Amino acid sequence: MPIIFKENITFLENIVGIEEAEELLKWLETHKEGAVDLSNCSHLHTAIVQILMVARNPVIQLPTNAQLALWLRTAFQDYLKENKGEL
Amino acid sequence: MSTLLNQFVLESREILQNLSEKILLLEKNPHDKNLIHELFRGIHTLKGNSGLFNFELMNQVLHKTEDLMVAIRDNRIPYSKEIADLLLNVLDFISIQLDEIEQTGNIKEESLRNMAIELSQSVQTYIPNHQAGNSRKGKKQQESKKSDTSILLQENLKRFLIKIPEDIRMATFEKAFSKQPLQFVLYQPEEECFFKGEDPFFLARNVPGFIWGQIQPRKKLPPLSEFDCYRCFLDFLVLSEAKAEELLEHFKFILEQIQIFEVSPYCLIIPVGKPNGGPVYGDFVYEGLLLLERGEKEKLLSAIQTLSNLSSPELWISSALRWLRILLEQKEPPIEHQVIRRLLQSIETLEIPDFSDLVASSSTNSDHLETPSELRSKELVPTQDPVSSEILDILKTQHEILSFPDNDRWFLGRLKACYQTLKGCNAFLQEPEPTLESAFKKSLDTHSPAPLREWIEEILNTQKKHQESSAETSIDTQREIRPASPQERSAEYAQRNVSDIRFGRRAEDQPGSRILKVDQTKIDRLMNLVGELVVAKNSIPYLANKVEKSYGLPDLSRELKALYANMNRISDELQDIVMKVRMVPFSMIFQRFPRLVRDVSQKLGKEVNLIMEGENIEADKNMLDALTEPLIHLLRNSLDHGIELPEEREKIGKSKTGTILLRAMQDSDRVFVEVEDDGKGIDPVLLKQKAYEKGMIDENQLETLSEKDALNLIFLTGFSTKENATDLSGRGVGMDVVKNTLEKLGGTIEIQSVLGKGTLFRLSIPLSMAVTNVMIVETNEQSFGIPMSCISETVRIPEQEIHKVKDKKTTVVRNRILPLFSLNDFLGLPSKQKTNSEGEFSVLVLQINEEPLGLIVDDFKEVIDVILKPLEGSLAKLACYAGTALLGDGSVLMVLNIKELLKCL
């Protein structure tokens, strides 16, 4: 599964396709403060990016993939809360 | 030729036939919207199909034709006879290709390339080019719209560029200034794009020459609760150093959703940081301007150095100074003073300098300062605007003519003709070249076309550069030089096409196809009827026996038996044919595997070579359909757990690339499919340990279980799931499901594995599942059916040869110990098994899970073909019955499911 939901944090990993969109949306709706960790993500489908932009949940880790991070840093800049280890 | 390709050819023929009918109908009712829609859909399907096989030319022509159909559908151009001719030509072109594919399995692209180009061009002439705006009306709208959008875009662009980190901007600037102009792409995907399987972000991320990208919502995004996650509301902005053509190629299927603009590298000069102006800076600016005027760059540079040493690097001024240094240090070609001046002045005003009216290009003269109007004309404009493409075409043709081998008699005339043509063209060029005259003279003097040819080359080169940074001003001239309206030109083309691209044949002229497509349900019905016929036929021997025994008419009985033999032959043949109709080759399911293996192995970072054998072996379509899922699962397993990573493989002396062998074989009425990999194999000890930990086997079994039995543990429900929870496995099909699926089909699966060498799965399924071969046995005066697939032989064993070991009956058959069970015991019947008159028991030797087992029955009867009907309703829960069958005398035969029955042991 490219998405792992934990109690108050969700990990998006590898390639996250549009199939995961609805589930992610549901989770974000019920976890308004739920954090998003993208560190192991290599690609997000447009729909997923869009959901994250609409939900504005805190993004605590950008992908290690530099080019993807470059895109997402500006897209998520208002709610980007890159943590340094805790949580 | 592969089956898929065959299918493609067949289908395409059908579509072509259909389309040409529609085109002809449309000629009679040119306003029939439905027909136009159908035409469009047909072309669209053809295009999609051809895209599957990478038939580039076909796809290209169809793509253009599709555009044309869209234009017609949207009422942008009227449907006309000329268009009909053109469409028919396209169909002919496709038909020729199909012929070639059918004969050779491929297309020799070269032979058809010219046709394809010609066709594409003639189609193109009809399409109102919404980007270049072919029609006058369209152009005017375009122009007014453009001025709006260009302001909007500049705003967008500024906001976009400022977010790029300074160091990246600087590096890009240096590169862009001397080499490659930059392109800014605004990609606005349509809202429904997800439904077309598009992922705009993926496309944007993979833009060639990518430098920087940004995602921005097209409008204010709705709150989460009202948000429709299947619509796209995002725009993508990309800065790229690729050529415009490359970008157009990248976005070729969604050209209408993108805008590409050439960006002057000057636009990257955006000082950023904390504003902190003061009188010192004012002085510096004044001095700097003075130094610049005098051309004392070195002094200016050292002044910059001094000031930046004094300023904190986060300040706006430091950023501006850094830029100044870069501009001043730029040697080849040097930066215009105007740019430096503006940047210097900005230090005083603390406003981002506006360079949007400047164009930096390595081709422009370094110190040439352009007039404002000239400058404005080179604003950010779409690179799409063709600069007098007709003129360029003419020039190219003339170049070609001048390249013909010389012939004294014609040379002079040809040269003069070319000169006249070129003179005409020259007048329409943006900047008429005065050198034409001298080039012509030189050609005359030297008696060689070379000088004129070189002149053309020069023009073509500069035009090409101009085209990339094309200007709005050229539009007016273009409009005048356009030789004829699209309608006039199309008429011209159509006339030419009738003679040129007819290719002497029509799409419908194809040889009559020998293949008939039939709905599968009809075949199924036929199969059922044949099955019933087989059963009905089986009643004749009963009747013959009855006639002989009850009525004492042996002659009639003999005749009936002869009749039966005859009917038997016919029904056998009939059954055979129907079975064959339902047979499809394994390639039908094998075809999808190379792609699967490729994708999965790439995902896992493994190198795998898939070898497929026996693709021509045929089996019942239902069987194959049911086999697909298990095979996919086995392949995934092999890829995921079997094949090692390339480094690991190298370490243990295997070749870097793993091999998976997929092989189909036929043996009488069964088909075997093997999936074999040369991976790490399965460790039986580890399996036993795992099973023990999960409580599936006890301590005793842990010790005694043979390797083979241990391997079979993977088929236990719930065994594999936990361990394999990667994103590849764990799709809800475990090995237990694979096994169950196969057993439902009447098949088996076995596994062989050598640790470190690899694993082999062998699947065996019956060729067809429509008719089952069963043996009728008798026990307790009842008849039961037992599928022949599990019976290996029948033997009669005298009572004295049956031994009892710990209350279990056994005997020895062919030097092997055979455990014996009584069918009556299984079925809970109280009576003892009967012997025949010689005191022998009738024993069926069954092969269950490779183990021989003797089943004692009262008597064997005949073997018959039956159609097995599964039990329905609450009876369906009785797993020990495989189903029921109707016998010839009208009685119902219960067919046992031996495997289930043995579970009652």
Side-chain angles (χ1 to χ4, degrees), chain B residues 429-564:
Chain B
L429 288 179
Q430 279 174 350
E431 297 155 38
E433 285 285 340
T435 47
L436 175 65
E437 204 89 14
S438 61
F440 176 58
K441 274 198 186 118
K442 227 187 252 173
S443 277
L444 280 181
D445 291 345
T446 57
H447 206 72
S448 138
L452 262 186
R453 221 164 48 210
E454 280 158 20
W455 183 83
I456 298 177
E457 277 161 22
E458 205 174 303
I459 297 287
L460 285 178
N461 282 341
T462 46
Q463 280 296 335
K464 208 169 154 195
K465 278 180 197 155
H466 272 292
Q467 204 168 9
E468 279 163 17
S469 57
S470 76
E472 280 176 27
T473 44
S474 70
I475 296 169
D476 292 327
T477 38
Q478 261 182 60
R479 204 183 290 158
E480 279 153 29
I481 55 162
R482 209 166 285 286
S485 72
Q487 276 73 22
E488 284 169 273
R489 263 189 304 147
S490 55
E492 230 177 79
Y493 259 112
Q495 256 180 355
R496 244 181 61 206
N497 290 342
V498 172
S499 51
D500 281 353
I501 325 176
R502 179 55 77 186
F503 314 129
R505 64 185 314 272
R506 290 182 178 77
E508 306 89 293
D509 292 352
Q510 53 189 269
S513 169
R514 308 275 301 157
I515 294 190
L516 187 67
K517 274 192 179 175
V518 186
D519 188 359
Q520 201 192 329
T521 51
K522 283 187 186 159
I523 302 284
D524 287 345
R525 174 110 183 90
L526 190 60
M527 190 73 206
N528 279 338
L529 287 174
V530 170
E532 280 178 35
L533 185 67
V534 170
V535 174
K537 162 208 83 176
N538 283 347
S539 66
I540 295 182
Y542 281 97
L543 192 61
N545 281 339
K546 203 169 167 188
V547 164
E548 193 177 345
K549 284 179 186 149
S550 312
Y551 301 96
L553 296 169
D555 287 349
L556 184 57
S557 164
R558 211 173 310 122
E559 268 179 51
L560 272 175
K561 278 180 184 161
L563 177 70
Y564 169 73

Side-chain angles (χ1 to χ4, degrees), chain B residues 649-878:
Chain B
R649 290 182 65 89
E650 264 190 337
K651 238 181 259 168
I652 50 174
K654 288 184 183 178
S655 78
K656 236 167 128 180
T657 312
T659 306
I660 294 183
L661 183 69
L662 189 62
R663 189 193 290 133
M665 294 169 293
Q666 189 184 345
D667 182 19
S668 68
D669 62 344
R670 290 189 87 75
V671 181
F672 296 92
V673 187
E674 292 181 348
V675 181
E676 187 179 1
D677 66 61
D678 64 348
K680 57 183 167 224
I682 302 173
D683 186 354
V685 180
L686 207 74
L687 283 183
K688 276 197 273 188
Q689 196 61 41
K690 272 260 149 62
Y692 175 66
E693 279 166 22
K694 294 196 177 189
M696 286 165 167
I697 54 172
D698 55 33
E699 212 156 317
N700 191 21
Q701 281 172 305
L702 182 64
E703 297 297 320
T704 56
L705 217 53
S706 71
E707 258 187 35
K708 197 167 172 182
D709 290 336
L711 286 179
N712 282 326
L713 285 172
I714 63 168
F715 296 117
L716 288 179
T717 310
F719 183 78
S720 53
T721 48
K722 191 97 183 183
E723 182 73 355
N724 307 342
T726 66
D727 68 327
L728 283 173
S729 317
R731 295 227 168 204
V733 192
M735 288 305 284
D736 56 323
V737 180
V738 170
K739 192 169 189 209
N740 286 345
T741 312
L742 278 163
E743 279 175 2
K744 249 181 240 159
L745 300 175
T748 57
I749 179 166
E750 60 178 279
I751 172 172
Q752 291 167 15
S753 182
V754 181
L755 197 58
K757 287 269 164 62
T759 309
L760 167 78
F761 286 98
R762 183 180 289 123
L763 283 58
S764 148
I765 50 163
L767 268 183
S768 155
M769 46 189 175
V771 174
T772 317
N773 207 220
V774 299
M775 174 183 269
I776 301 179
V777 295
E778 223 177 67
T779 194
N780 196 30
E781 289 170 358
Q782 297 176 39
S783 292
F784 292 97
I786 292 176
M788 282 297 282
S789 55
C790 53
I791 300 174
S792 60
E793 61 178 321
T794 56
V795 286
R796 294 200 190 265
I797 297 170
E799 204 170 351
Q800 59 272 20
E801 283 183 24
I802 295 181
H803 312 283
K804 281 201 169 179
V805 179
K806 277 192 181 170
D807 203 31
K808 307 255 177 196
K809 284 184 227 164
T810 54
T811 185
V812 177
V813 177
R814 296 184 217 293
N815 296 326
R816 272 203 311 181
I817 294 173
L818 187 70
L820 292 177
F821 298 94
S822 145
L823 185 57
N824 280 350
D825 288 351
F826 277 130
L827 297 174
L829 300 171
S831 58
K832 285 202 161 179
Q833 297 299 160
K834 290 177 192 153
T835 55
N836 64 358
S837 51
E838 284 146 41
E840 292 167 330
F841 281 108
S842 309
V843 175
L844 286 171
V845 182
L846 307 173
Q847 282 287 341
I848 306 291
N849 299 333
E850 309 266 314
E851 295 287 330
L853 182 150
L855 188 67
I856 311 173
V857 296
D858 285 358
D859 201 5
F860 315 125
K861 293 283 167 99
E862 68 268 48
V863 174
I864 56 163
D865 289 337
V866 295
I867 296 185
L868 209 54
K869 305 265 182 209
L871 293 174
E872 283 169 8
S874 41
L875 288 180
K877 289 176 203 150
L878 298 173

Side-chain angles (χ1 to χ4, degrees), chain B residues 108 145 591-592 696 888:
Chain B
K108 280 192 226 88
K145 211 175 139 197
Q591 260 166 355
R592 70 176 79 177
M696 286 165 167

Side-chain angles (χ1 to χ4, degrees), chain A residues 1 18 22 25 28-29 42-47 49-51 53-55 65 67-68 70-71 74 77, chain B residues 194 198-202 204-205 210 212-215 222 224-225 227 230-234 236 238 727:
Chain A
M1 275 292 287
I18 192 166
E22 247 173 341
L25 188 71
L28 291 171
E29 262 178 325
S42 55
H43 182 70
L44 295 174
H45 191 278
T46 317
V49 176
Q50 203 167 259
I51 289 173
M53 285 173 81
V54 175
N65 176 322
Q67 202 242 17
L68 183 61
L70 168 163
W71 280 94
T74 41
Q77 59 185 354
Chain B
F194 296 163
E198 288 169 13
D199 180 1
F201 185 32
F202 186 78
R205 280 187 68 188
F210 176 87
W212 194 260
Q214 193 186 314
I215 307 172
L224 196 59
S225 48
F227 180 63
Y230 293 117
R231 293 189 168 272
C232 179
F233 302 110
L234 300 181
F236 296 87
V238 182
D727 68 327

Side-chain angles (χ1 to χ4, degrees), chain B residues 255-498:
Chain B
L255 279 178
E256 70 286 355
Q257 298 167 21
I258 59 153
Q259 287 167 289
I260 302 181
F261 296 92
E262 190 173 309
V263 179
S264 151
Y266 294 145
C267 293
L268 295 168
I269 309 177
I270 309 172
V272 285
K274 282 184 228 148
N276 190 6
V280 180
Y281 301 153
D283 291 349
F284 170 76
V285 172
Y286 176 73
E287 247 172 69
L289 285 174
L290 220 63
L291 286 170
L292 190 67
E293 283 304 301
R294 291 196 214 122
E296 295 180 57
K297 281 191 182 176
E298 292 306 315
K299 272 193 187 163
L300 183 55
L301 266 173
S302 67
I304 290 170
Q305 187 61 44
T306 323
L307 190 59
S308 37
N309 286 347
L310 293 172
S311 326
S312 150
E314 289 100 57
L315 289 182
W316 201 90
I317 177 160
S318 305
S319 171
L321 289 174
R322 284 194 290 274
W323 275 109
L324 269 176
R325 193 179 319 137
I326 287 183
L327 293 182
L328 284 167
E329 279 169 357
Q330 180 73 31
K331 292 270 155 44
E332 247 342 287
I335 306 279
E336 292 164 28
H337 283 183
Q338 196 179 348
V339 179
I340 302 174
R341 200 181 306 136
R342 285 191 202 182
L343 184 56
L344 265 171
Q345 282 162 347
S346 77
I347 294 179
E348 203 169 18
T349 57
L350 285 180
E351 271 169 24
I352 295 170
D354 183 13
F355 298 113
S356 56
D357 55 344
L358 290 179
V359 76
S361 154
S362 42
S363 65
T364 53
N365 288 333
S366 52
D367 275 317
H368 163 73
L369 275 182
E370 285 153 300
T371 62
S373 68
E374 239 180 321
L375 288 168
R376 209 140 295 131
S377 73
K378 295 196 170 187
E379 259 179 299
L380 308 151
V381 284
T383 49
Q384 282 267 295
D385 261 352
V387 179
S388 50
S389 62
E390 286 84 0
I391 295 283
L392 290 183
D393 281 348
I394 297 175
L395 286 175
K396 276 177 201 153
T397 315
Q398 297 307 316
H399 185 265
E400 213 171 297
I401 293 173
L402 287 172
S403 314
F404 285 158
D406 284 340
N407 182 316
D408 265 344
R409 264 169 50 203
W410 298 331
F411 173 73
L412 207 63
R414 201 162 59 206
L415 200 68
K416 277 183 182 161
C418 283
Y419 170 63
Q420 287 303 331
T421 319
L422 291 176
K423 213 162 110 182
C425 292
N426 200 11
F428 282 108
L429 288 179
Q430 279 174 350
E431 297 155 38
E433 285 285 340
T435 47
L436 175 65
E437 204 89 14
S438 61
F440 176 58
K441 274 198 186 118
K442 227 187 252 173
S443 277
L444 280 181
D445 291 345
T446 57
H447 206 72
S448 138
L452 262 186
R453 221 164 48 210
E454 280 158 20
W455 183 83
I456 298 177
E457 277 161 22
E458 205 174 303
I459 297 287
L460 285 178
N461 282 341
T462 46
Q463 280 296 335
K464 208 169 154 195
K465 278 180 197 155
H466 272 292
Q467 204 168 9
E468 279 163 17
S469 57
S470 76
E472 280 176 27
T473 44
S474 70
I475 296 169
D476 292 327
T477 38
Q478 261 182 60
R479 204 183 290 158
E480 279 153 29
I481 55 162
R482 209 166 285 286
S485 72
Q487 276 73 22
E488 284 169 273
R489 263 189 304 147
S490 55
E492 230 177 79
Y493 259 112
Q495 256 180 355
R496 244 181 61 206
N497 290 342
V498 172

